[in-house]
Amino acid sequence: MAFDEAVHPDHFSTLRRTPFPHTLIEQQLMQMGGGGVAGSTFRKQVLLAAGWPHDGLVPFAKHPQLASTTFNRIRLLLDGHNQPDTLLAALAA
């Protein structure tokens, strides 16, 4: 799935009717990881590999610039890497 809209820092402190791209990216990561606990674990692994050093208790809005950079890195790689292992390998490179 291609995510055309870039993630901007203000997305983490704004509301709108349509989902922001980072929300759609998180949903895609959860599906890639198998859903449930496995999907959540995979999502956390990808966020960490992409540069998000905080645990699940720190909201993205607390560090919006870092969060947008992290999600944009994932967004660019998701289009070419639709398997969990290849996505993690691309983020590690």
XYZ file of all heavy atoms in Angstrom:
716
model
N 0.848 -1.185 0.000
C 0.000 0.000 0.000
C 0.885 1.236 0.000
O 1.785 1.378 0.812
C -0.900 -0.038 1.233
C -1.762 1.177 1.393
S -2.825 1.001 2.840
C -3.951 2.308 2.515
N 0.631 2.147 -0.907
C 1.398 3.389 -0.996
C 0.728 4.469 -0.158
O -0.488 4.638 -0.183
C 1.484 3.836 -2.453
N 1.530 5.154 0.601
C 1.053 6.266 1.416
C 1.587 7.546 0.796
O 2.751 7.893 0.982
C 1.538 6.123 2.869
C 1.023 4.882 3.528
C 1.791 3.736 3.585
C -0.238 4.857 4.088
C 1.317 2.590 4.190
C -0.731 3.716 4.698
C 0.054 2.578 4.740
N 0.739 8.224 0.038
C 1.163 9.398 -0.700
C 1.364 10.615 0.194
O 2.234 11.434 -0.068
C 0.149 9.742 -1.797
C 0.064 8.644 -2.849
O 1.085 7.961 -3.069
O -1.010 8.462 -3.426
N 0.558 10.733 1.228
C 0.639 11.903 2.087
C 1.752 11.733 3.113
O 1.825 10.729 3.821
C -0.696 12.122 2.818
C -0.708 13.369 3.664
C -2.017 13.571 4.420
O -2.931 12.740 4.286
O -2.101 14.561 5.148
N 2.641 12.707 3.180
C 3.719 12.689 4.161
C 3.160 12.981 5.548
O 2.125 13.620 5.701
C 4.780 13.723 3.795
N 3.864 12.499 6.556
C 3.480 12.738 7.944
C 4.143 14.037 8.388
O 5.341 14.227 8.209
C 3.931 11.577 8.849
C 3.542 11.841 10.290
C 3.333 10.257 8.363
N 3.351 14.944 8.949
C 3.850 16.239 9.421
C 3.725 16.302 10.942
O 2.816 15.696 11.519
C 3.058 17.386 8.782
C 3.142 17.389 7.293
N 4.247 17.831 6.614
C 2.248 16.979 6.354
C 4.039 17.702 5.311
N 2.836 17.178 5.130
N 4.596 17.064 11.595
C 4.541 17.153 13.061
C 3.186 17.578 13.620
O 2.771 17.086 14.672
C 5.620 18.189 13.398
C 6.598 18.072 12.287
C 5.761 17.779 11.068
N 2.473 18.439 12.905
C 1.176 18.892 13.423
C 0.089 17.812 13.357
O -0.964 17.951 13.972
C 0.718 20.169 12.728
C 0.426 19.971 11.252
O 1.080 19.117 10.616
O -0.452 20.677 10.730
N 0.336 16.711 12.664
C -0.634 15.618 12.613
C -0.855 14.985 13.982
O -1.899 14.384 14.227
C -0.172 14.515 11.655
C -0.290 14.895 10.217
N 0.177 14.089 9.206
C -0.809 15.980 9.608
C -0.052 14.661 8.041
N -0.657 15.811 8.256
N 0.115 15.122 14.867
C 0.025 14.467 16.168
C -0.730 15.305 17.199
O -0.969 14.843 18.308
C 1.423 14.119 16.675
C 2.160 13.220 15.728
C 3.118 13.727 14.872
C 1.864 11.877 15.657
C 3.785 12.907 13.974
C 2.510 11.042 14.761
C 3.477 11.563 13.918
N -1.090 16.533 16.821
C -1.828 17.389 17.755
C -3.068 18.010 17.111
O -3.606 18.985 17.609
C -0.913 18.502 18.276
O -0.425 19.284 17.204
N -3.508 17.428 16.012
C -4.652 17.939 15.265
C -5.676 16.818 15.092
O -5.320 15.654 15.021
C -4.195 18.430 13.867
O -3.100 19.322 14.018
C -5.313 19.114 13.119
N -6.932 17.208 14.989
C -7.999 16.241 14.738
C -8.570 16.478 13.343
O -8.620 17.597 12.863
C -9.117 16.399 15.768
C -8.743 16.135 17.216
C -9.922 16.477 18.121
C -8.326 14.700 17.409
N -8.994 15.399 12.699
C -9.720 15.492 11.430
C -10.518 14.217 11.230
O -10.276 13.212 11.893
C -8.781 15.772 10.264
C -7.925 14.619 9.835
C -7.092 15.005 8.624
N -6.380 13.834 8.108
C -5.471 13.892 7.178
N -5.128 15.056 6.660
N -4.877 12.806 6.756
N -11.470 14.276 10.327
C -12.356 13.133 10.109
C -11.651 11.953 9.443
O -11.892 10.815 9.801
C -13.552 13.547 9.253
C -14.527 14.411 9.987
C -15.745 14.680 9.091
N -16.633 15.613 9.723
C -17.702 15.244 10.419
N -17.991 13.972 10.553
N -18.461 16.143 10.977
N -10.816 12.219 8.470
C -10.107 11.130 7.792
C -8.842 10.793 8.573
O -8.222 11.680 9.161
C -9.738 11.531 6.348
O -8.937 12.712 6.392
C -10.973 11.769 5.514
N -8.453 9.535 8.580
C -7.274 9.147 9.354
C -5.989 9.780 8.808
O -5.816 9.900 7.596
C -7.217 7.632 9.209
C -8.462 7.204 8.556
C -9.092 8.404 7.942
N -5.137 10.166 9.713
C -3.828 10.685 9.325
C -2.968 9.537 8.800
O -3.201 8.370 9.143
C -3.129 11.333 10.526
C -3.680 12.690 10.867
C -4.443 12.875 11.999
C -3.420 13.780 10.049
C -4.946 14.118 12.329
C -3.923 15.032 10.365
C -4.684 15.210 11.504
N -1.962 9.846 7.986
C -1.151 8.768 7.407
C -0.443 7.914 8.456
O -0.279 6.711 8.259
C -0.163 9.491 6.495
C -0.265 10.925 6.806
C -1.565 11.157 7.484
N -0.027 8.504 9.576
C 0.659 7.684 10.579
C -0.275 6.637 11.186
O 0.150 5.540 11.519
C 1.305 8.552 11.671
C 0.347 9.237 12.579
N -0.252 10.445 12.256
C -0.130 8.895 13.805
C -1.044 10.805 13.250
N -0.990 9.894 14.196
N -1.548 6.947 11.272
C -2.522 5.973 11.768
C -2.669 4.822 10.782
O -2.704 3.648 11.173
C -3.891 6.647 11.996
O -3.708 7.744 12.890
C -4.905 5.683 12.559
N -2.724 5.138 9.506
C -2.828 4.106 8.470
C -1.557 3.260 8.416
O -1.626 2.042 8.206
C -3.095 4.753 7.109
C -4.399 5.547 7.009
C -4.485 6.276 5.675
C -5.597 4.645 7.224
N -0.414 3.890 8.621
C 0.859 3.155 8.635
C 0.877 2.184 9.811
O 1.267 1.022 9.662
C 2.044 4.134 8.689
C 2.161 4.885 7.365
C 3.348 3.397 9.023
C 3.125 6.061 7.389
N 0.434 2.641 10.980
C 0.389 1.755 12.143
C -0.547 0.572 11.891
O -0.223 -0.563 12.257
C -0.054 2.516 13.389
C 1.027 3.393 13.971
C 0.635 3.954 15.316
O -0.284 4.803 15.359
O 1.241 3.531 16.314
N -1.679 0.814 11.261
C -2.610 -0.268 10.941
C -1.964 -1.270 9.989
O -2.101 -2.484 10.158
C -3.897 0.292 10.331
C -4.756 1.041 11.303
C -5.941 1.726 10.642
O -6.072 1.736 9.412
N -6.809 2.318 11.447
N -1.242 -0.764 9.001
C -0.557 -1.632 8.041
C 0.505 -2.483 8.739
O 0.635 -3.673 8.472
C 0.086 -0.786 6.933
C 0.847 -1.581 5.903
C -0.062 -2.386 4.992
O -1.225 -2.046 4.821
N 0.476 -3.445 4.423
N 1.245 -1.874 9.656
C 2.273 -2.615 10.385
C 1.649 -3.705 11.256
O 2.190 -4.814 11.352
C 3.102 -1.661 11.248
C 3.975 -0.671 10.483
C 4.638 0.297 11.450
C 5.010 -1.392 9.634
N 0.530 -3.393 11.890
C -0.156 -4.387 12.711
C -0.602 -5.576 11.854
O -0.450 -6.733 12.266
C -1.379 -3.763 13.403
C -1.063 -2.755 14.473
S -0.473 -3.471 15.991
C -1.939 -4.294 16.573
N -1.118 -5.303 10.664
C -1.547 -6.378 9.766
C -0.353 -7.196 9.291
O -0.413 -8.421 9.224
C -2.299 -5.809 8.567
C -3.658 -5.278 8.898
C -4.346 -4.638 7.693
O -3.746 -4.473 6.638
N -5.601 -4.265 7.873
N 0.736 -6.514 8.946
C 1.932 -7.217 8.490
C 2.473 -8.141 9.570
O 2.999 -9.213 9.273
C 3.031 -6.220 8.091
C 2.842 -5.564 6.761
S 4.150 -4.378 6.407
C 5.546 -5.453 6.143
N 2.365 -7.715 10.819
C 2.868 -8.503 11.937
C 1.956 -9.628 12.366
O 2.288 -10.394 13.255
N 0.787 -9.727 11.791
C -0.121 -10.820 12.093
C -1.273 -10.457 13.004
O -2.048 -11.315 13.407
N -1.390 -9.176 13.368
C -2.487 -8.748 14.228
C -2.267 -9.155 15.674
O -1.322 -9.876 16.004
N -3.106 -8.650 16.533
C -3.033 -8.996 17.952
C -1.703 -8.617 18.595
O -1.083 -7.617 18.246
N -1.250 -9.466 19.510
C -0.002 -9.212 20.222
C 1.190 -9.260 19.273
O 2.103 -8.440 19.361
C 0.170 -10.233 21.376
C 1.519 -10.071 22.047
C -0.946 -10.077 22.395
N 1.189 -10.207 18.347
C 2.295 -10.314 17.386
C 2.377 -9.063 16.517
O 3.472 -8.558 16.240
C 2.124 -11.553 16.513
N 1.242 -8.554 16.093
C 1.219 -7.338 15.282
C 1.711 -6.136 16.057
O 2.454 -5.300 15.539
N 1.317 -6.042 17.305
C 1.752 -4.941 18.160
C 3.260 -5.003 18.410
O 3.950 -3.984 18.372
C 0.998 -4.984 19.482
O 1.389 -3.921 20.305
N 3.767 -6.196 18.635
C 5.212 -6.374 18.830
C 5.978 -5.984 17.574
O 7.005 -5.305 17.646
C 5.514 -7.836 19.218
O 4.805 -8.145 20.415
C 6.995 -8.057 19.416
N 5.473 -6.390 16.415
C 6.128 -6.036 15.148
C 6.107 -4.527 14.939
O 7.114 -3.937 14.545
C 5.448 -6.752 13.980
C 6.000 -6.351 12.649
C 7.275 -6.727 12.266
C 5.249 -5.576 11.770
C 7.798 -6.342 11.036
C 5.750 -5.190 10.550
C 7.035 -5.577 10.187
N 4.991 -3.892 15.223
C 4.886 -2.437 15.078
C 5.933 -1.742 15.945
O 6.616 -0.825 15.498
C 3.479 -1.975 15.459
C 3.262 -0.468 15.316
C 1.900 -0.049 15.848
N 1.773 -0.241 17.275
C 2.236 0.612 18.198
N 2.866 1.706 17.841
N 2.071 0.369 19.485
N 6.090 -2.197 17.173
C 7.090 -1.615 18.077
C 8.503 -1.827 17.548
O 9.344 -0.933 17.630
C 6.961 -2.218 19.475
C 5.707 -1.786 20.203
C 5.581 -2.507 21.539
C 4.234 -2.251 22.172
N 4.063 -3.022 23.418
N 8.774 -3.014 16.993
C 10.095 -3.303 16.427
C 10.399 -2.371 15.256
O 11.510 -1.864 15.129
C 10.173 -4.751 15.941
C 10.213 -5.775 17.033
C 10.153 -7.189 16.466
O 9.637 -7.421 15.365
N 10.654 -8.145 17.235
N 9.417 -2.160 14.401
C 9.608 -1.294 13.235
C 9.828 0.149 13.671
O 10.727 0.822 13.163
C 8.408 -1.403 12.260
C 8.482 -0.342 11.177
C 8.357 -2.789 11.646
N 9.026 0.626 14.614
C 9.204 1.992 15.096
C 10.592 2.186 15.702
O 11.254 3.195 15.449
C 8.122 2.346 16.115
C 6.730 2.597 15.546
C 5.697 2.684 16.668
C 6.709 3.858 14.709
N 11.055 1.216 16.468
C 12.383 1.294 17.061
C 13.464 1.293 15.985
O 14.391 2.115 16.021
C 12.592 0.132 18.035
C 13.935 0.083 18.757
C 14.105 1.315 19.647
C 14.041 -1.182 19.582
N 13.324 0.412 15.007
C 14.305 0.331 13.921
C 14.318 1.589 13.063
O 15.353 1.962 12.500
C 14.019 -0.888 13.049
N 13.179 2.269 12.989
C 13.078 3.477 12.169
C 13.526 4.729 12.908
O 13.622 5.800 12.315
C 11.653 3.655 11.668
N 13.788 4.609 14.223
C 14.314 5.758 14.939
C 13.494 6.271 16.099
O 13.845 7.285 16.701
N 12.396 5.612 16.450
C 11.580 6.050 17.590
C 12.096 5.339 18.843
O 11.842 4.155 19.041
C 10.112 5.712 17.348
C 9.216 6.164 18.457
C 8.596 5.372 19.380
C 8.824 7.499 18.777
N 7.851 6.137 20.243
C 7.979 7.454 19.898
C 9.129 8.744 18.220
C 7.423 8.583 20.477
C 8.575 9.875 18.796
C 7.725 9.801 19.900
N 12.822 6.043 19.720
C 13.471 5.393 20.856
C 12.592 5.242 22.097
O 13.033 4.667 23.089
C 14.633 6.340 21.161
C 14.099 7.687 20.806
C 13.199 7.450 19.607
N 11.384 5.727 22.058
C 10.530 5.757 23.239
C 9.622 4.532 23.301
O 9.291 3.938 22.285
C 9.688 7.037 23.260
C 10.517 8.271 23.156
N 11.323 8.714 24.178
C 10.700 9.138 22.129
C 11.948 9.814 23.794
N 11.587 10.090 22.550
N 9.189 4.200 24.514
C 8.276 3.070 24.672
C 6.847 3.495 24.337
O 6.597 4.632 23.940
C 8.368 2.487 26.080
C 7.939 3.473 27.167
O 7.334 4.503 26.843
O 8.204 3.195 28.347
N 5.927 2.580 24.521
C 4.528 2.832 24.176
C 3.817 3.830 25.063
O 2.706 4.242 24.764
N 4.443 4.220 26.174
C 3.804 5.167 27.081
C 4.068 6.619 26.710
O 3.419 7.523 27.230
C 4.280 4.910 28.518
C 3.938 3.529 29.070
C 4.536 3.350 30.463
C 2.448 3.302 29.100
N 5.014 6.854 25.817
C 5.334 8.216 25.388
C 4.542 8.513 24.114
O 4.735 7.847 23.096
C 6.846 8.386 25.122
C 7.154 9.775 24.608
C 7.642 8.086 26.386
N 3.646 9.477 24.158
C 2.840 9.778 22.960
C 3.684 10.442 21.872
O 4.663 11.131 22.155
C 1.768 10.728 23.483
C 2.343 11.336 24.705
C 3.284 10.323 25.294
N 3.271 10.218 20.642
C 3.978 10.820 19.506
C 3.939 12.339 19.581
O 4.862 13.015 19.141
C 3.389 10.342 18.181
C 3.527 8.859 17.971
C 2.417 8.072 17.738
C 4.765 8.250 18.008
C 2.533 6.710 17.536
C 4.903 6.888 17.807
C 3.781 6.111 17.570
N 2.890 12.901 20.155
C 2.740 14.358 20.248
C 3.783 14.989 21.164
O 4.039 16.185 21.062
C 1.342 14.710 20.746
N 4.400 14.215 22.012
C 5.426 14.760 22.897
C 6.708 15.081 22.127
O 7.449 15.987 22.484
C 5.721 13.775 24.029
C 6.671 14.322 25.063
C 6.539 13.573 26.357
C 7.518 14.121 27.354
N 6.877 14.833 28.423
N 6.975 14.329 21.067
C 8.143 14.534 20.204
C 7.679 14.493 18.739
O 8.001 13.552 18.006
C 9.200 13.454 20.447
C 9.634 13.349 21.873
N 10.510 14.236 22.439
C 9.289 12.465 22.839
C 10.700 13.893 23.709
N 9.964 12.830 23.971
N 6.897 15.480 18.297
C 6.270 15.395 16.969
C 7.258 15.393 15.803
O 7.007 14.720 14.802
C 5.355 16.615 16.928
C 5.905 17.554 17.929
C 6.536 16.710 18.992
N 8.359 16.111 15.909
C 9.323 16.142 14.803
C 9.975 14.774 14.630
O 10.096 14.265 13.515
C 10.388 17.222 15.027
C 11.327 17.396 13.848
C 10.599 17.801 12.578
O 9.787 18.717 12.580
N 10.856 17.108 11.486
N 10.387 14.172 15.722
C 10.986 12.838 15.665
C 9.969 11.812 15.180
O 10.299 10.940 14.370
C 11.529 12.443 17.041
C 12.134 11.047 17.151
C 13.316 10.886 16.198
C 12.550 10.766 18.579
N 8.739 11.916 15.646
C 7.690 10.984 15.217
C 7.422 11.102 13.720
O 7.303 10.091 13.024
C 6.409 11.228 16.006
N 7.355 12.321 13.214
C 7.093 12.491 11.781
C 8.258 11.966 10.948
O 8.053 11.323 9.918
C 6.774 13.946 11.442
O 7.881 14.774 11.677
N 9.481 12.190 11.406
C 10.659 11.667 10.700
C 10.629 10.141 10.682
O 10.891 9.512 9.652
C 11.950 12.168 11.373
O 11.952 13.593 11.354
C 13.189 11.639 10.678
N 10.302 9.546 11.815
C 10.232 8.088 11.926
C 9.164 7.520 10.999
O 9.426 6.579 10.237
C 9.927 7.684 13.386
O 10.970 8.175 14.230
C 9.804 6.182 13.526
N 7.972 8.074 11.048
C 6.887 7.559 10.211
C 7.148 7.791 8.725
O 6.782 6.955 7.898
C 5.540 8.153 10.623
C 4.905 7.420 11.765
C 4.910 7.956 13.032
C 4.304 6.195 11.565
C 4.321 7.289 14.092
C 3.715 5.500 12.611
C 3.729 6.056 13.886
N 7.769 8.894 8.361
C 8.077 9.122 6.950
C 9.125 8.137 6.449
O 9.074 7.703 5.299
C 8.508 10.565 6.715
C 7.324 11.492 6.676
O 6.278 11.169 6.135
N 7.476 12.661 7.274
N 10.058 7.765 7.299
C 11.045 6.754 6.906
C 10.342 5.422 6.648
O 10.616 4.751 5.655
C 12.092 6.611 8.004
C 13.194 5.672 7.644
C 14.370 5.783 8.574
N 15.393 4.873 8.116
C 16.042 4.030 8.895
N 15.828 4.034 10.194
N 16.931 3.218 8.393
N 9.432 5.055 7.535
C 8.667 3.813 7.358
C 7.796 3.906 6.104
O 7.727 2.967 5.310
C 7.798 3.523 8.600
C 8.677 3.273 9.819
C 6.868 2.340 8.352
C 7.915 3.286 11.138
N 7.149 5.045 5.925
C 6.238 5.257 4.791
C 6.954 5.026 3.464
O 6.428 4.368 2.559
C 5.688 6.683 4.842
C 4.761 7.071 3.705
C 4.290 8.513 3.863
N 5.356 9.473 3.745
C 5.806 9.974 2.582
N 5.267 9.593 1.448
N 6.787 10.850 2.569
N 8.170 5.536 3.350
C 8.920 5.392 2.107
C 9.326 3.948 1.833
O 9.427 3.537 0.679
C 10.149 6.300 2.132
C 9.849 7.798 2.126
C 11.130 8.599 2.319
C 9.131 8.205 0.857
N 9.559 3.178 2.884
C 9.995 1.792 2.703
C 8.847 0.801 2.578
O 9.028 -0.280 2.023
C 10.899 1.382 3.872
C 12.252 2.077 3.915
C 12.999 1.713 5.194
C 13.078 1.713 2.694
N 7.673 1.147 3.075
C 6.544 0.213 3.036
C 6.121 -0.150 1.623
O 5.687 -1.281 1.380
C 5.341 0.795 3.780
C 5.197 0.419 5.241
C 3.998 1.120 5.848
C 5.090 -1.069 5.438
N 6.257 0.762 0.699
C 5.813 0.502 -0.669
C 6.613 -0.628 -1.314
O 6.058 -1.460 -2.011
C 5.913 1.778 -1.508
C 5.182 1.653 -2.830
O 4.186 0.912 -2.889
O 5.615 2.296 -3.798
N 7.894 -0.702 -1.051
C 8.726 -1.723 -1.690
C 8.964 -2.961 -0.853
O 9.532 -3.935 -1.336
N 8.567 -2.935 0.404
C 8.829 -4.059 1.306
C 7.529 -4.461 1.990
O 7.136 -3.859 2.977
C 9.880 -3.674 2.346
C 11.170 -3.245 1.746
N 11.422 -1.948 1.377
C 12.278 -3.950 1.427
C 12.629 -1.867 0.866
N 13.172 -3.066 0.878
N 6.891 -5.495 1.454
C 5.594 -5.898 1.999
C 5.679 -7.134 2.895
O 4.664 -7.673 3.288
C 4.567 -6.107 0.883
C 5.050 -7.108 -0.140
O 6.115 -7.685 -0.012
N 4.256 -7.309 -1.174
N 6.893 -7.570 3.211
C 7.100 -8.678 4.137
C 7.778 -8.163 5.383
O 8.668 -7.307 5.300
C 7.962 -9.772 3.499
C 7.319 -10.444 2.294
C 6.030 -11.145 2.660
O 5.935 -11.792 3.707
N 5.018 -11.015 1.822
N 7.401 -8.633 6.563
C 7.974 -8.133 7.804
C 9.491 -8.187 7.865
O 10.149 -7.197 8.235
C 7.359 -9.029 8.883
C 6.091 -9.519 8.296
C 6.350 -9.641 6.827
N 10.081 -9.300 7.454
C 11.535 -9.427 7.539
C 12.262 -8.494 6.570
O 13.316 -7.943 6.904
C 11.971 -10.874 7.339
C 11.446 -11.483 6.045
O 10.491 -10.942 5.469
O 11.996 -12.538 5.627
N 11.717 -8.287 5.387
C 12.380 -7.390 4.434
C 12.259 -5.930 4.879
O 13.182 -5.142 4.669
C 11.819 -7.546 3.007
O 10.429 -7.235 3.001
C 12.041 -8.950 2.478
N 11.146 -5.579 5.497
C 10.979 -4.208 5.995
C 11.977 -3.933 7.120
O 12.651 -2.908 7.124
C 9.553 -3.974 6.483
C 9.261 -2.586 7.083
C 9.529 -1.486 6.064
C 7.840 -2.511 7.589
N 12.098 -4.853 8.067
C 13.052 -4.681 9.163
C 14.497 -4.635 8.637
O 15.300 -3.853 9.111
C 12.898 -5.792 10.204
C 11.677 -5.663 11.108
C 11.513 -6.913 11.957
C 11.799 -4.429 11.995
N 14.800 -5.449 7.646
C 16.149 -5.453 7.059
C 16.426 -4.120 6.368
O 17.531 -3.577 6.469
C 16.303 -6.611 6.083
N 15.436 -3.580 5.666
C 15.625 -2.299 4.976
C 15.813 -1.173 5.979
O 16.597 -0.245 5.744
C 14.425 -2.010 4.085
N 15.121 -1.228 7.099
C 15.277 -0.196 8.127
C 16.636 -0.297 8.810
O 17.199 0.712 9.226
C 14.161 -0.305 9.177
C 12.790 0.161 8.711
C 11.723 -0.276 9.705
C 12.777 1.675 8.536
N 17.153 -1.496 8.913
C 18.454 -1.704 9.550
C 19.608 -1.250 8.658
O 20.679 -0.927 9.149
C 18.633 -3.163 9.932
N 19.367 -1.226 7.356
C 20.429 -0.848 6.409
C 20.712 0.638 6.418
O 19.957 1.451 6.794
C 20.042 -1.278 5.001
